[in-house]
Amino acid sequence: MVNLKPLFEIQRALDEKIIAKHGLYQQNLIPKKILALQVELGELANESRCFKFWSVKPPSPREVILEEYVDALHFVLSIGLEKGYDQVVRVQKRQTEVPEVEAFRQVFDCITRFAETEDSQAYQALFQSVLDLGNRLGFSWEEIEQAYKKKNEVNHLRQEQGY
Ligand SMILES: O=c1ccn([C@H]2C[C@H](O)[C@@H](COP(=O)(O)OP(=O)(O)OP(=O)(O)O)O2)c(=O)[nH]1
């Protein structure tokens, strides 16, 4: 089982800062966070180049791909906090053999299902699919946690600097 508690707490502090700074109290930000997650996943797929059968260019450097991945992870955590699912979600580290394109498709499928129901089961499946994608892209959980924390600090600074 992955211990998500530390990341949820870090995410909560950032989300609260963004809400305060932009005056977003009481607003339902879920639709925007879902689209943001889809956009980040598109950017991630672009950097991985896993679908570009027409090109011989290699993927972006590993760290660039990891940075995109943790942007997506921010929005997954943020959605869970807004729905109050941070206490109930249970995900595991596991090996996935599916092709990268299939791992992306599974995440997008889970997003679609979550968008329809917004229930905790769909959220859990979404979170697991995002972890499976991270594994498929070759990242360990330790690497993901570290990169997440680094980008989180950048996000705090950007908010303070009137981004
Ligand atoms: O409520 C929110 C809103 C945003 N973020 C984070 C997620 C992500 O890590 C970052 C937004 O992505 P990015 O840094 O790519 O922002 P951008 O405005 O699209 O960047 P750029 O202008 O560089 O394209 O902010 C949160 O954690 N919670």
Side-chain angles (χ1 to χ4, degrees):
M1 212 66 88
V2 180
N3 181 15
L4 294 174
K5 199 164 182 260
L7 294 201
F8 272 122
E9 291 321 308
I10 295 168
Q11 185 67 45
R12 191 188 303 279
L14 177 61
D15 286 356
E16 282 174 359
K17 181 183 272 185
I18 290 171
I19 285 170
K21 168 141 195 193
H22 298 271
L24 301 169
Y25 300 103
Q26 324 292 344
Q27 279 193 40
N28 173 19
L29 296 173
I30 296 290
K32 286 180 180 172
K33 287 177 182 177
I34 289 173
L35 180 56
L37 173 58
Q38 288 169 322
V39 169
E40 294 297 349
L41 286 165
E43 290 178 3
L44 174 62
N46 239 0
E47 299 298 344
S48 82
R49 306 185 65 83
C50 68
F51 62 95
K52 300 201 175 196
F53 58 87
W54 58 87
S55 168
V56 295
K57 270 199 234 164
S60 294
R62 189 180 157 75
E63 73 214 51
V64 172
I65 298 175
L66 183 54
E67 277 169 29
E68 294 296 350
Y69 179 80
V70 299
D71 278 334
L73 181 60
H74 270 78
F75 285 112
V76 176
L77 290 161
S78 184
I79 288 166
L81 286 168
E82 187 162 337
K83 295 298 294 181
Y85 296 153
D86 50 301
Q87 301 290 337
V88 294
V89 64
R90 298 279 179 273
V91 287
Q92 49 178 334
K93 293 174 206 165
R94 59 184 193 190
Q95 289 297 118
T96 39
E97 307 299 331
V98 295
E100 276 180 41
V101 169
E102 175 61 16
F104 274 103
R105 198 188 61 79
Q106 284 175 3
V107 178
F108 278 105
D109 277 0
C110 287
I111 295 173
T112 302
R113 244 176 298 136
F114 174 76
E116 283 163 9
T117 64
E118 293 191 13
D119 67 21
S120 67
Q121 225 187 326
Y123 179 71
Q124 172 141 329
L126 168 60
F127 210 133
Q128 185 65 59
S129 74
V130 169
L131 280 199
D132 291 346
L133 175 64
N135 173 270
R136 186 59 194 80
L137 292 170
F139 304 126
S140 69
W141 177 246
E142 290 66 35
E143 267 181 301
I144 291 168
E145 259 192 315
Q146 199 182 17
Y148 170 83
K149 287 175 185 168
K150 195 170 152 200
K151 179 62 193 263
N152 192 277
E153 280 172 26
V154 171
N155 285 334
H156 272 282
L157 283 175
R158 285 181 174 175
Q159 289 302 316
E160 284 153 24
Q161 289 163 356
Y163 179 66

